[in-house]
Amino acid sequence: MKSFLQRRDPWGHGVSLWLIAAIAFLLPLMCWSLRHIELENDVAGWLPKDDPQAKILDWYQNLFPSDDRLLLSWDDCSLTDPRIRAFITELEGVQHLDHREGGSPYISDVKQPADLLTRMLKEGVPVEEGIRRTMGLLLGKGPLCVRFTDTGRLRGDFMQKEVLRLAQEHLGPQATVIQRSLPLPVTDGLSIEDESAWKLHDALEEYVRSVPLYDVQISAPRMHIDVQKTEAFRAALNEAASPDAATDGIATKCVDDTFFVNGAMAAVSVGLNEAGMSDRNAALADIRAAAVSVGILPEQLHMGGRPVAGTALNQAVKHAGWNRNFPLFDLPRRSPILLSVIVTVVLSMIVLKSIRLTLLVQAVSMLCAMAAVSLVPATGGSMNMVLVVMPTLLVVLTTSAAIHLCNYWKNSGISDPDTSVHHAASVAWLPCLLASGTTAIGLGSLVVSSLVPVRDFGIYASIGCGISFFCALYVLPSLMLFWRRQPPKAASMDTRAWRWLGGRLANHGTLVSLACLTATIACGAGLQFFRTETKVIRYFPDESRVVQDYNFLEENLSGIVSVDTIVKFDKAAQTQIPFLDRARKVMEIQEALREHPEVSGTLSLASFLDLSAPDTSKMSRLDRMKARKKEAVIGDRIHELLEEGDRESSVSSMLALAKADGDLNVPGDALLNREGDELWRITCQSSIMSDYDYQTLTTELNEITRARLAMIGTSGTGHIVTGLIPIFLRTQQALLESLISSFGLAFFVIAIVMALLLRSVPAAIFAMAPNLTPVVVMFGLLAWGGVRIDIGTMITASVALGIAVDGTLHLMTWFQILIRQGVSRKEAVERSLEHCGPALWQTSAAIGIGMLALYPVELLLISRFGWIMSGMIFAALVGDVIFLPALLAGPLGMILERSNRPPESKSPESNDSATQVDEETNSSKKQLADGAAAASAIVQSPAGARTTRVAVDPKPAPHIGMLSSALRRSVTE
């Protein structure tokens, strides 16, 4: 029967022509689809909609709708910095009648500390108390102010140098002396009719004038985070003294006081509208331009928030492909992905020893990657930090399969160009199908993940494996038929080293197996320290601009990420507890949460209310009634604003009245809230750069709130902790679950396939051991080294399993065929490794070193994927050429020998089998146009290698045609 590629249509055209024509037709469609690729890396959207934490977040966002916001500051930004107002005007424009003139079309609003203080002043909160409540949100403490005594001032510059020396000793070498002031507030731009603005101006002016004098200011990284070091430095300053000769050498104090000034640092919060969220690059460019226009240098500007991190992540992904910031000669940083491709091409050329084959192999590899990626926008998907590694992965997988096919073609021994291609395709079909199938199973197992990007990667990458098989087994031969070449003649190649290695492994199989098993267990012991990482900011190196900006903001101002506590009062509790008393309870919880070392600041509606309780002991009965009436009016007014949905007052963003039950697990459980519940939102800003465990943080905040609510002594209260931190925590848990479940499923399914192929469950268990080794070794070493497993690293486990099975199938197939030919187990190990070893080494080198070229990528997600994938490939190579041959010489080989060697009692059947093999061999001989020697003297050599005639005893090595027939018979059986 003719193969698929040998068939012709009624007009005499071959199938290969139609394949090439179809590809020429599809290429423009692929390019058009690739132009519409969109990047989406929102971690909050990774969880499926039915996940409990995703449901809570959706419930919370429906109650308290808010836009994505940026936290923005500059090096010397303070509470009374006049540039804040000018900067806001540049972004928001000027309100003229019913429309806004100027400003950025991407900005919805800008909030500054003065806005919060103005609202607090309206409610009777003093400006000093308002500044304290705003600390850790939009205000920071700034540098440490040091005031000298008269003696210290007399020492002049020497005392300043001494302070700097102590600062560098206690706070680190980066501590510096700076000159920064809290300027008096300006009146420029204040409207005469704006009574609230003038009231705040006067209060701020009084506050600035009340700041004590100082002589020197010290600034150091993490000064406000490493509180113990800072307090030790302040203690050392207070002990700084100078011997006074006039008092007979008695030391005189030189430092009078050290203190921080609340409001010495400030930030603004910028909200993006729909246009800004859809085009974040343009929005951030407008913000930077506005900063420059008011005198803020670009290097002094610092921005943080989800839009900033998401944009930086998308930019880093693009830079991995092409970064114009570096010259062409600096290819590792100009285009790491291009470098990976070039390395793979060069190594393929070395392996194949043919420019023609190299071009064809890389052409089909690129075609496979383009076809798979073009499916993403065509099916309504978007690229993300996980899918971005799929093209490189498919390129190396297709290159591997194509190299195997070229290997079969070069060593076919058939001089006719067309016949040799058809023969190579028919021989490569089954092993490549098994390899692609097992790899697709490994990748397809990722669909069980609850993380959306991981599931998408599993779907698209498994489809890509099918495309890879089609490109390698059908497209590549079609191109080879149109660009004809006669296979090279057999020459000599010395493979004695591989045969020697096989002999040593066969002689010491038990010892080698135990050594490999021991090393695997030792590495696997590190899995007890296994930790995951889903913080997007951790995908960037420490020296990147976005990480430096985040560090500046969190060290000087506020935590970037928030965790919200929703405090609930049901209808009965609202009746028993007056509104302001409820606000006081919320403030008590808020202050307790603020005390947590990982919380920089807190904010709720209670922050904007005057919660000072009047002294009713000295009031008359009438005055007490008036006070209660006044408090009731405040509650009624806020509820009216809430009902009206007044966005200007921002009440709806901090307080909500539930209009329906909130269900969590099943309809009607009302676990989130009951209808009519009053829901108070307390926002806690926390550090995303901290190493503090999110599970511990969430638990501790939960316990603090529970303890404070228990002190109320009234039923009908409750709380829920939600926000981005619980989402990050749930994503970490889902990441670990995905790693275990997807790899476990892949391992189980591939083990079943292996058991069917080997017709033995024990043999399948032994055969899967070398495939499990690279994953256990690499993840164990990563855990020992303290490397957190991110979402890109996670997918390498299932991928590596599929790649490792590829080499296992090739080696075990040859071993079984040789056993069937009557070769001893030891010799079968030697000759199998002699045949497959060079090919496994060369393909692993091409793939592994090509993946290693991704190491220079700035985005650590891609960089780690590259070098970890490279490590797993070489670990799989060790498993295939060391561990597996040792097992074949021992228990695994014994099982396969019993199932494959014909019993002595069935000699007639053995003769029939031998006759069939002889007929197949004679048929192959007829195809040898150059009268090559008998197939019994030919030993298959690896891709790009030359063959040597080897005298084989007692049985001849199988011809490549016999391999194809034996493989097909094995599957049939």
Side-chain angles (χ1 to χ4, degrees):
M1 181 181 296
K2 291 184 178 180
S3 68
F4 179 74
L5 291 175
Q6 290 176 307
R7 296 179 182 178
R8 295 186 176 272
D9 61 19
W11 300 278
H13 302 131
V15 173
S16 56
L17 175 64
W18 289 106
L19 284 178
I20 295 176
I23 292 171
F25 173 77
L26 292 175
L27 269 176
L29 297 179
M30 295 180 194
C31 295
W32 177 84
S33 180
L34 291 174
R35 293 181 59 186
H36 293 81
I37 287 181
E38 295 182 356
L39 293 172
E40 180 57 53
N41 289 304
D42 185 8
V43 179
W46 285 4
L47 294 175
K49 296 297 183 182
D50 58 348
D51 186 89
Q53 278 298 335
K55 287 183 177 179
I56 294 175
L57 184 65
D58 184 64
W59 164 81
Y60 153 76
Q61 291 177 338
N62 287 332
L63 285 172
F64 304 102
S66 58
D67 302 325
D68 274 343
R69 305 191 71 84
L70 289 75
L71 186 67
L72 186 148
S73 184
W74 47 92
D75 288 348
D76 55 349
C77 181
S78 63
L79 171 60
T80 53
D81 191 333
R83 290 172 294 179
I84 292 180
R85 189 179 301 164
F87 177 69
I88 294 176
T89 302
E90 288 289 329
L91 291 179
E92 289 188 338
V94 178
Q95 191 69 28
H96 182 71
L97 297 179
D98 58 346
H99 66 280
R100 187 175 65 178
E101 295 182 353
S104 171
Y106 306 105
I107 305 302
S108 61
D109 67 287
V110 183
K111 299 296 184 184
Q112 60 169 319
D115 297 329
L116 304 182
L117 297 177
T118 298
R119 290 184 54 193
M120 294 177 186
L121 280 175
K122 285 183 179 180
E123 298 296 333
V125 179
V127 69
E128 292 82 1
E129 175 63 15
I131 291 175
R132 189 194 68 82
R133 294 182 182 182
T134 314
M135 292 295 294
L137 298 170
L138 294 179
L139 292 178
K141 296 179 179 180
L144 179 66
C145 300
V146 182
R147 185 171 67 245
F148 296 154
T149 62
D150 292 339
T151 303
R153 293 190 183 95
L154 289 175
R155 301 186 69 185
D157 293 341
F158 178 81
M159 192 60 204
Q160 181 170 312
K161 293 179 181 179
E162 179 66 11
V163 170
L164 179 59
R165 184 190 67 80
L166 290 173
Q168 293 177 343
E169 177 182 332
H170 288 84
L171 303 178
Q174 293 181 322
T176 58
V177 175
I178 64 172
Q179 295 294 330
R180 193 171 296 172
S181 62
L182 191 63
L184 290 171
V186 297
T187 59
D188 296 344
L190 290 182
S191 173
I192 299 177
E193 293 81 11
D194 193 345
E195 183 179 348
S196 299
W198 282 100
K199 184 178 180 180
L200 177 63
H201 171 272
D202 295 341
L204 288 178
E205 183 175 354
E206 183 179 352
Y207 174 76
V208 171
R209 295 185 184 279
S210 66
V211 174
L213 298 176
Y214 50 84
D215 296 279
V216 66
Q217 292 174 307
I218 296 294
S219 177
R222 301 187 59 83
M223 183 167 58
H224 301 296
I225 297 177
D226 298 334
V227 179
Q228 292 182 348
K229 291 183 178 180
T230 303
E231 291 304 315
F233 169 57
R234 297 178 69 177
L237 287 178
N238 291 330
E239 294 174 0
S242 172
D244 192 341
T247 58
D248 299 326
I250 298 176
T252 304
K253 188 175 181 181
C254 292
V255 175
D256 180 39
D257 193 14
T258 59
F259 57 90
F260 290 104
V261 178
N262 289 345
M265 285 296 301
V268 297
S269 176
V270 180
L272 303 181
N273 55 26
E274 291 185 5
M277 290 305 301
S278 61
D279 193 352
R280 295 177 180 177
N281 285 326
L284 296 180
D286 268 17
I287 292 173
R288 292 188 178 96
V292 171
S293 66
V294 298
I296 304 168
L297 298 178
E299 60 270 17
Q300 295 179 331
L301 186 67
H302 308 283
M303 292 188 292
R306 286 173 58 192
V308 175
T311 302
L313 185 62
N314 294 341
Q315 194 67 27
V317 170
K318 293 178 181 178
H319 284 171
W322 194 255
N323 190 348
R324 298 180 181 275
N325 296 327
F326 296 97
L328 284 173
F329 62 80
D330 191 2
L331 194 58
R333 290 188 288 181
R334 178 65 179 246
S335 180
I337 291 180
L338 178 60
L339 176 63
S340 176
V341 173
I342 292 176
V343 170
T344 304
V345 170
V346 172
L347 291 174
S348 299
M349 191 178 301
I350 295 174
V351 170
L352 297 172
K353 296 182 180 179
S354 169
I355 296 177
R356 166 181 165 270
L357 289 180
T358 299
L359 293 177
L360 294 180
V361 166
Q362 295 307 316
V364 297
S365 300
M366 293 299 176
L367 176 65
C368 172
M370 288 179 59
V373 176
S374 65
L375 291 176
V376 177
T379 54
S382 58
M383 292 294 288
N384 52 58
M385 65 185 73
V386 181
L387 277 177
V388 74
V389 302
M390 182 180 69
T392 303
L393 175 65
L394 293 178
V395 165
V396 295
L397 289 177
T398 309
T399 299
S400 175
I403 287 177
H404 277 289
L405 185 136
C406 292
N407 172 37
Y408 293 131
W409 173 78
K410 293 176 67 176
N411 298 280
S412 64
I414 302 174
S415 59
D416 181 67
D418 291 354
T419 306
S420 61
V421 172
H422 293 145
H423 177 73
S426 64
V427 173
W429 186 86
L430 189 56
C432 288
L433 174 65
L434 294 175
S436 297
T438 51
T439 304
I441 290 173
L443 294 170
S445 66
L446 296 174
V447 299
V448 303
S449 171
S450 60
L451 297 181
V452 176
V454 178
R455 189 168 63 241
D456 289 347
F457 180 86
I459 295 172
Y460 289 116
S462 58
I463 295 174
C465 282
I467 298 174
S468 172
F469 173 77
F470 179 80
C471 289
L473 270 297
Y474 293 101
V475 178
L476 177 59
S478 298
L479 294 174
M480 294 173 69
L481 289 173
F482 274 85
W483 191 357
R484 289 181 174 85
R485 285 290 187 277
Q486 183 178 337
K489 293 183 178 181
S492 61
M493 176 182 176
D494 188 2
T495 57
R496 288 177 297 178
W498 287 102
R499 185 151 188 162
W500 174 87
L501 177 61
R504 300 291 77 75
L505 293 173
N507 292 333
H508 307 284
T510 302
L511 182 61
V512 173
S513 298
L514 289 176
C516 292
L517 188 61
T518 302
T520 302
I521 294 175
C523 294
L527 294 176
Q528 60 183 313
F529 307 111
F530 188 92
R531 296 184 300 170
T532 58
E533 179 64 81
T534 57
K535 297 178 181 179
V536 174
I537 194 64
R538 293 296 179 87
Y539 298 155
F540 297 92
D542 292 339
E543 63 273 11
S544 64
R545 177 62 187 271
V546 64
V547 171
Q548 293 177 359
D549 284 353
Y550 268 60
N551 282 329
F552 176 89
L553 293 171
E554 293 198 341
E555 290 169 2
N556 293 281
L557 287 154
S558 168
I560 302 296
V561 69
S562 64
V563 54
D564 290 340
T565 300
I566 309 300
V567 179
K568 300 181 291 184
F569 297 93
D570 64 10
K571 292 180 179 179
Q574 295 174 46
T575 302
Q576 298 176 29
I577 308 174
F579 179 83
L580 279 188
D581 284 344
R582 298 197 297 274
R584 293 185 182 102
K585 298 299 181 183
V586 170
M587 178 59 77
E588 290 177 6
I589 298 173
Q590 180 178 334
E591 292 296 327
L593 294 174
R594 183 195 290 270
E595 294 299 319
H596 195 285
E598 287 297 310
V599 174
S600 65
T602 58
L603 187 71
S604 72
L605 182 62
S607 303
F608 299 94
L609 300 177
D610 181 10
L611 301 177
S612 57
D615 186 3
T616 57
S617 61
K618 299 180 180 180
M619 288 185 178
S620 63
R621 183 177 180 182
L622 180 61
D623 290 337
R624 289 197 296 270
M625 292 177 60
K626 289 181 178 180
R628 287 196 295 269
K629 180 65 175 177
K630 181 180 179 182
E631 291 187 355
V633 168
I634 294 175
D636 294 339
R637 177 170 56 86
I638 290 178
H639 274 225
E640 289 177 3
L641 292 174
L642 199 60
E643 291 291 338
E644 296 172 359
D646 189 349
R647 297 281 295 176
E648 190 67 26
S649 65
S650 299
V651 171
S652 60
S653 64
M654 291 176 284
L655 183 68
L657 288 176
K659 298 181 179 179
D661 289 350
D663 303 325
L664 178 58
N665 298 320
V666 295
D669 61 12
L671 292 178
L672 296 177
N673 69 266
R674 295 283 184 183
E675 181 183 357
D677 283 0
E678 187 182 67
L679 307 168
W680 294 69
R681 171 190 179 187
I682 303 175
T683 299
C684 302
Q685 293 301 124
S686 180
S687 171
I688 197 173
M689 305 301 296
S690 171
D691 291 328
Y692 202 80
D693 183 58
Y694 275 170
Q695 175 70 64
T696 304
L697 175 61
T698 305
T699 302
E700 290 173 351
L701 296 183
N702 191 49
E703 289 300 323
I704 291 172
T705 307
R706 179 181 291 111
R708 290 290 175 172
L709 284 177
M711 295 172 61
I712 296 178
T714 303
S715 61
T717 61
H719 75 285
I720 293 177
V721 178
T722 183
L724 287 182
I725 284 184
I727 285 293
F728 282 143
L729 178 60
R730 173 58 190 140
T731 306
Q732 285 180 329
Q733 295 170 343
L735 183 63
L736 182 58
E737 293 168 3
S738 297
L739 175 62
I740 296 173
S741 60
S742 63
F743 180 77
L745 179 60
F747 187 85
F748 179 73
V749 174
I750 294 176
I752 292 177
V753 174
M754 196 73 73
L756 294 175
L757 290 175
L758 301 179
R759 303 190 298 278
S760 171
V761 174
I765 294 175
F766 280 112
M768 290 302 292
N771 302 316
L772 184 64
T773 297
V775 178
V776 175
V777 168
M778 282 303 299
F779 277 94
L781 290 176
L782 291 174
W784 277 119
V787 178
R788 291 178 177 265
I789 305 302
D790 58 41
I791 196 168
T793 306
M794 190 217 74
I795 63 177
T796 61
S798 297
V799 175
L801 179 61
I803 293 176
V805 170
D806 185 7
T808 301
L809 286 171
H810 280 277
L811 190 65
M812 290 181 60
T813 299
W814 273 95
F815 177 84
Q816 292 181 86
I817 293 174
L818 289 167
I819 290 294
R820 289 171 186 161
Q821 301 306 313
V823 176
S824 67
R825 195 193 322 157
K826 178 177 181 295
E827 188 172 358
V829 171
E830 293 177 357
R831 289 168 55 181
S832 297
L833 191 58
E834 182 183 20
H835 168 73
C836 298
L840 291 173
W841 157 250
Q842 291 166 356
T843 53
S844 296
I847 297 173
I849 298 176
M851 296 296 291
L852 193 59
L854 294 175
Y855 178 78
V857 176
E858 180 186 23
L859 189 63
L860 297 181
L861 180 82
I862 301 177
S863 175
R864 286 176 187 155
F865 175 85
W867 66 263
I868 292 174
M869 194 74 246
S870 178
M872 284 195 174
I873 289 172
F874 285 110
L877 175 65
V878 173
D880 285 334
V881 302
I882 301 294
F883 196 6
L884 180 59
L887 291 174
L888 289 174
L892 177 58
M894 294 174 61
I895 297 173
L896 296 179
E897 189 174 24
R898 285 197 299 267
S899 62
N900 285 277
R901 194 182 298 281
E904 295 296 334
S905 60
K906 297 183 179 182
S907 55
E909 295 181 9
S910 299
N911 293 334
D912 293 341
S913 177
T915 301
Q916 180 181 359
V917 171
D918 290 340
E919 292 176 354
E920 293 173 356
T921 305
N922 292 331
S923 176
S924 297
K925 289 179 180 179
K926 294 178 183 179
Q927 298 178 357
L928 300 176
D930 56 357
S936 60
I938 297 179
V939 176
Q940 175 74 16
S941 67
R946 296 173 293 179
T947 59
T948 182
R949 300 184 181 279
V950 180
V952 178
D953 183 56
K955 294 291 183 180
H959 182 267
I960 194 168
M962 295 162 56
L963 170 62
S964 176
S965 301
L967 285 170
R968 296 180 187 278
R969 287 200 304 273
S970 175
V971 172
T972 303
E973 293 171 1

